[in-house]
Each structure stands twice: as structure tokens, then as C-alpha cells.
Amino acid sequence: MGSVLNALFTFMQMIVGGIGVYQVIIGFAGFTRKKESRTKPVEKSFAILIAAHNEEAVIGSLLENLQKLDYPKSLYETFVICDHCTDRTVEIAQSLHVHTLERNRQAKRGKGHAIEWALNQQLWKLDREFDAVIILDADNLISSNFLLEMNEKLSNGYKVVQGYLETKNPYDSWVTLSYALMYWYMNRIWQLARYNLGLPNVLGGTGICVETGLLKEIGWGAQSLTEDVEFTARCVERGVYPTWAHDAIVYDEKPVGLRSSLRQRLRWMQGHFYCARQYFWKLIKVSVINRSLAQLDAAIYLFQPFRFLIYMAYSFMLYFQVATSAIDRWGIMQILPDWFWVLVSAVLYLQTPVVLMIEKKPFKAFLGYIPYFLFLLTWMPVTIWAFFTSNNQNWSHTQHTRAIKIEEVSK
């Protein structure tokens, strides 16, 4: 028994430790940013697709925001997918003279299914063909230069682009500030770092731009709880690598209360586990065949929830054997010393305040670093519960309530 456990936990230590070191090294590339400028002519056309389910509180602010973009009005149109709406979402959208795609009495609900329906049953049947599709959530706001940045990326040959994910309401509560810290970290240490190194970026659910030709070629096909993770994996498997647009900002509303946050993150993790089971080994296979670090990196992203579970299980087993007489019977060896785990964890954790300094965030943002540790701890029960319920792909709606104007968040 002891030899089997030793082999298992040795393997677990090496996997978790190796990925931790890899992420630390990759993350340093996010501390610097290449100077870029727009040089391409403004010519790409966009269909802006907004998935909405009972979003009367926020949809108006987004639609007004989209009317003020610094981009020729003739080159973009807005489509609101009114997915089983029972409130005033349709009425508000129609009053602002955008296309409303009403989806009712459909067996499959949720954002992924709604987008699939809108593309195949509505958008592709129009006389007009757009160069690309922009996917937004109803609670979003975007920077005035958003389409200009996407035009530049498409003109440079990219087919899938992710915009900078900003928090619309970072100072509403300690929970929203924790979200903001997490996203500021991800934008720099994960997204920008990989962009600088030429590795695939990951899609974040909103602020996504996809070339029409690619969508028609491979189909949307992302209908899990985390359609962004699924579509990322499908693209990378085919050798299409999403890129990053650091200056194309999308402001996203975050849950104010912990309970709503836990529900949202449980849905995220359930979808992530599901997608990992579907695509992890496929990405590993193609990365070996193609000798591709980019595809291996995408597989590592899918593996992250499992890595977290392994780390928790490994830590528990070490503590358990030391705190009880189990050490006499099991004798699980600790291959990597305590200082290694402390050092890797400390570097990963301390990268966040460095990001805050680089991004020149206000002092009150640094105060959020105090409860942020508690927020990170709440990922433990969420991840464990999601692992055992990942087959549950029933979509749950996150209620949005803040009718914030773009002028309020882009100061």
C-alpha cells in the first residue's frame, strides 16, 4: 500500500509543482507590454451579438453605449438574442432600434445554445454578410475604440480575439473587488503574458470577436456551461490560436454577494471540468503530434481545476499522515520540500499587487487584497462540488441590476 501511494503522490507532486513553476515563469512575461499602434484601414464589418435573458435593468445602457462607438455606423449592426425573456428586454431593445431575435419555447436554454440558434437560424440567413461576429453579455459596456482594435486584429490575420476583461462595479463590495483583482491578475499574468510569448489566449465569455469564415467553417458548437472554454479548445485543437486585444476593453458586472458569486463560479467550474474531460487528451495528442507548446499550453489551462484538486488532496494527505499514526503505516514521501511550495505559492500570490502597481490602480484597490485571500479560499469548496456535479449542464442565470453608463466606468 505504501509503495503505491508513494508512486501516486510522487507523480502528483511533480505534475502540480511543474505546472506551478511553469506558470510563474510564463507570468513574468506579463509585466511588460509591447508598444502597438493601429495602422490598418477601417473596413471590417461586425455583427454584435448580445445574449440576453430578462435583462431589462441593464440592456438599455449597453445599447446606448454601442450607439456611441468610434466606428462607422454603416460597418456594424447590433442583434439582441431575447432568450425566453418575460420582462421588458424586448421592448427596450426595440425602442433603441436594434435587431431583436426572440427565442421562445426552446428545449435547450443557456447562452451557448442561444448563440448557436442566432447564428444558424438568423444571422446566416440575412442578405448581408459580416466580416466578424462580436459576442457580448447584456450587462456589459465596451470602450469606444473596441471595434477599431478588433478591426486591427482581423486585418493582421487573426481569426479569434479576446478583449480586455474589466469589472464594471469593482468597489460595490469585497466580493466584486476580489473579482476585479482576479481579472486584473488574469489580464496581465495569464493573457498578456501569453500574447507576448506567442501562445494562445483563452476566451473569457464576453468581449469575443470571431471571424465569420471560421464560424461557418467549424460552427459555433460550444453549448456547455462554459462556451468560451469549449470554443477556445476547439479552435486550438485545429491550430487556430485566439489572440489578445489589451486596449479593447469590455466592462462586465460582477455579483455583489458571496452567495451569488458561489453559484456563478460553481457554474464556471462545472463547465470547465466538463470541457477538460472532452478536450484535454485531444489537445495533449495534437500537441505531441505537432510538437506544439501552444497546444500543450492550452491543455494545461484545461487541466487547472484538476491541478487544484490534486494540490488539495496532496496537502490533506501529508497533513493527515503527520497528524495521526498513519505515517507509520503509509509513510508517504514528500519529494518536493516545504520551501518549494511556499516559494511558488508566494510568487503567484504576490504577482497580484505587482499588477496593481503596473496598472496604476488606486489605493482602495490595494485594500481589497486583504479579503482577497478569503475569496481565493472559497474556490476550494466550489471546485470540489463542481468536480462531483460536472455532468450537470443545466444553465443558471446570473441576475444583473446595475444600470451603469459608459461615462461612469471609463473615467
Side-chain angles (χ1 to χ4, degrees), residues 16 272-273 276-277 302-311 383 387:
V16 174
H272 200 128
F273 273 120
R277 292 192 178 104
L302 285 179
F303 188 71
Q304 289 300 316
F306 290 99
R307 171 178 169 265
F308 190 36
L309 281 180
I310 291 172
Y311 181 73
T383 304
F387 175 75

Side-chain angles (χ1 to χ4, degrees), residues 201-349:
N201 288 101
V202 296
L203 301 180
T206 188
I208 300 168
C209 175
V210 186
E211 185 195 55
T212 298
L214 177 67
L215 272 175
K216 289 187 174 182
E217 177 187 342
I218 71 173
W220 173 245
Q223 300 178 357
S224 66
L225 292 180
T226 48
E227 73 289 333
D228 51 341
V229 176
E230 187 174 359
F231 193 72
T232 300
R234 293 182 64 233
C235 287
V236 175
E237 182 187 4
R238 289 165 172 79
V240 178
Y241 301 153
T243 193
W244 178 246
H246 198 81
D247 292 321
I249 303 173
V250 53
Y251 300 89
D252 187 48
E253 182 181 324
K254 301 305 179 188
V256 176
L258 182 60
R259 180 176 295 181
S260 297
S261 168
L262 291 173
R263 282 199 300 267
Q264 183 186 66
R265 287 183 286 148
L266 176 62
R267 172 169 56 84
W268 289 352
M269 294 304 289
Q270 286 172 328
H272 200 128
F273 273 120
Y274 176 84
C275 291
R277 292 192 178 104
Q278 297 295 317
Y279 295 100
F280 174 75
W281 289 113
K282 293 180 181 179
L283 287 174
I284 290 292
K285 180 180 178 180
V286 295
S287 71
V288 172
I289 293 174
N290 299 327
R291 298 181 182 179
S292 170
L293 175 61
Q295 291 171 322
L296 177 61
D297 184 78
I300 289 174
Y301 173 69
L302 285 179
F303 188 71
Q304 289 300 316
F306 290 99
R307 171 178 169 265
F308 190 36
L309 281 180
I310 291 172
Y311 181 73
M312 285 190 289
Y314 163 69
S315 299
F316 172 78
M317 291 301 293
L318 283 181
Y319 173 80
F320 182 74
Q321 77 164 4
V322 170
T324 68
S325 59
I327 192 171
D328 298 326
R329 290 181 285 113
W330 295 351
I332 298 172
M333 293 188 299
Q334 186 174 357
I335 303 300
L336 300 173
D338 290 336
W339 64 262
F340 171 86
W341 300 108
V342 172
L343 179 62
V344 171
S345 299
V347 172
L348 289 173
Y349 189 63

Side-chain angles (χ1 to χ4, degrees), residues 16-239:
V16 174
I19 294 178
V21 172
Y22 174 78
Q23 181 52 39
V24 166
I25 295 171
I26 293 290
F28 285 124
F31 289 155
T32 60
R33 192 177 163 215
K34 302 173 185 176
K35 187 176 180 180
E36 297 178 313
S37 58
R38 295 192 298 268
T39 61
K40 302 298 183 180
V42 176
E43 58 185 10
K44 299 296 183 181
S45 60
F46 298 93
I48 301 178
L49 210 57
I50 304 167
H53 171 69
N54 290 346
E55 301 286 7
E56 63 179 8
V58 294
I59 191 65
S61 296
L62 172 59
L63 296 180
E64 291 173 3
N65 168 214
L66 295 177
Q67 293 173 351
K68 302 174 184 177
L69 298 182
D70 185 13
Y71 205 77
K73 299 297 185 290
S74 61
L75 289 179
Y76 71 96
E77 294 184 37
T78 301
F79 300 81
V80 179
I81 312 170
C82 304
D83 189 20
H84 297 86
C85 292
T86 57
D87 64 353
R88 296 179 58 247
T89 298
V90 176
E91 178 185 341
I92 294 171
Q94 290 176 342
S95 71
L96 291 169
H97 310 293
V98 300
H99 301 281
T100 53
L101 311 178
E102 297 185 52
R103 181 175 184 259
N104 297 303
R105 297 185 297 277
Q106 299 291 321
K108 295 181 179 180
R109 300 193 180 190
K111 181 179 173 182
H113 295 292
I115 292 173
E116 184 81 62
W117 172 84
L119 293 174
N120 295 330
Q121 302 300 320
Q122 303 290 327
L123 208 58
W124 299 158
K125 295 182 179 181
L126 297 178
D127 292 333
R128 180 178 185 181
E129 182 167 316
F130 300 90
D131 292 311
V133 174
I134 302 288
I135 297 175
L136 299 174
D137 288 339
D139 61 294
N140 294 161
L141 298 168
I142 63 175
S143 57
S144 61
N145 66 327
F146 192 90
L147 295 185
L148 289 172
E149 297 297 331
M150 295 303 171
N151 175 81
E152 186 75 15
K153 295 295 182 181
L154 291 173
S155 298
N156 284 326
Y158 294 106
K159 297 179 181 294
V160 186
V161 190
Q162 174 62 56
Y164 184 103
L165 292 172
E166 181 61 280
T167 303
K168 188 167 75 171
N169 56 330
Y171 303 110
D172 280 3
S173 71
W174 73 272
V175 175
T176 59
L177 185 50
S178 294
Y179 269 106
L181 290 170
M182 181 177 71
Y183 274 90
W184 291 331
Y185 169 87
M186 287 293 293
N187 287 335
R188 273 276 177 176
I189 304 304
W190 194 283
Q191 300 280 37
L192 183 58
R194 279 163 173 77
Y195 174 70
N196 287 340
L197 295 172
L199 295 172
N201 288 101
V202 296
L203 301 180
T206 188
I208 300 168
C209 175
V210 186
E211 185 195 55
T212 298
L214 177 67
L215 272 175
K216 289 187 174 182
E217 177 187 342
I218 71 173
W220 173 245
Q223 300 178 357
S224 66
L225 292 180
T226 48
E227 73 289 333
D228 51 341
V229 176
E230 187 174 359
F231 193 72
T232 300
R234 293 182 64 233
C235 287
V236 175
E237 182 187 4
R238 289 165 172 79

